[in-house]
């Protein structure tokens, strides 16, 4: 892990989540090939009371692995949220992985 940041600003939290949900929705509409790799460079960890979720995201192959107190899941996402995720990290001083 190169670093991490806590998103405290409610507006940015909402923006990041909306981008993620839109990326998943776009992928579900079809038109993408099934990926053959998994090189995650982004992640989200969220908690609320005793509930928690960790998302490990690879925008190279458009996959999300989800682990939570409710189980384990796998999903697909478009690459659209990547720029917002990168900008959020850069603004917090977190270095990005080399391409």
């Amino acid at each position: 892990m190169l670093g991490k940041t806590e998103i405290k600003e409610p507006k940015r939290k909402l923006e990041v989540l909306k981008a993620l949900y839109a990326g998943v929705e776009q992928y579900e509409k079809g038109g993408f090939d099934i990926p053959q790799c998994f090189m995650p460079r982004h992640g989200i960890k969220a908690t609320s009371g005793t509930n928690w979720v960790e998302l490990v995201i690879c925008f190279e192959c458009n996959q999300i692995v989800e682990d939570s107190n409710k189980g384990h899941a796998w999903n697909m996402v478009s690459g659209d949220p990547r720029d917002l995720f990168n900008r959020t990290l850069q603004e917090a001083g977190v270095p990005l992985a080399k391409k």
Side-chain angles (χ1 to χ4, degrees):
M1 176 172 37
L2 294 173
K4 64 180 181 178
T5 187
E6 181 178 348
I7 302 172
K8 294 180 180 181
E9 182 185 341
K11 183 178 178 182
R12 180 54 66 98
K13 280 184 185 181
L14 184 60
E15 186 179 20
V16 167
L17 288 176
K18 280 185 176 182
L20 181 65
Y21 295 147
V24 170
E25 183 178 320
Q26 181 181 4
Y27 204 97
E28 288 174 348
K29 290 179 181 178
F32 296 90
D33 293 328
I34 300 298
Q36 300 298 317
C37 74
F38 189 67
M39 298 182 296
R41 291 186 174 87
H42 295 84
I44 294 177
K45 181 176 181 178
T47 58
S48 178
T50 59
N51 293 320
W52 59 273
V53 63
E54 292 182 353
L55 306 176
V56 180
I57 305 163
C58 176
F59 287 116
E60 300 299 317
C61 62
N62 304 97
Q63 297 183 77
I64 300 174
V65 173
E66 175 185 330
D67 191 26
S68 74
N69 58 308
K70 297 181 180 180
H72 189 75
W74 171 84
N75 211 330
M76 304 300 295
V77 63
S78 75
D80 292 350
R82 179 188 349 214
D83 290 341
L84 174 62
F85 280 45
N86 285 343
R87 188 170 65 250
T88 300
L89 291 169
Q90 289 173 319
E91 289 172 358
V94 176
L96 301 179
K98 294 180 182 180
K99 293 183 180 185

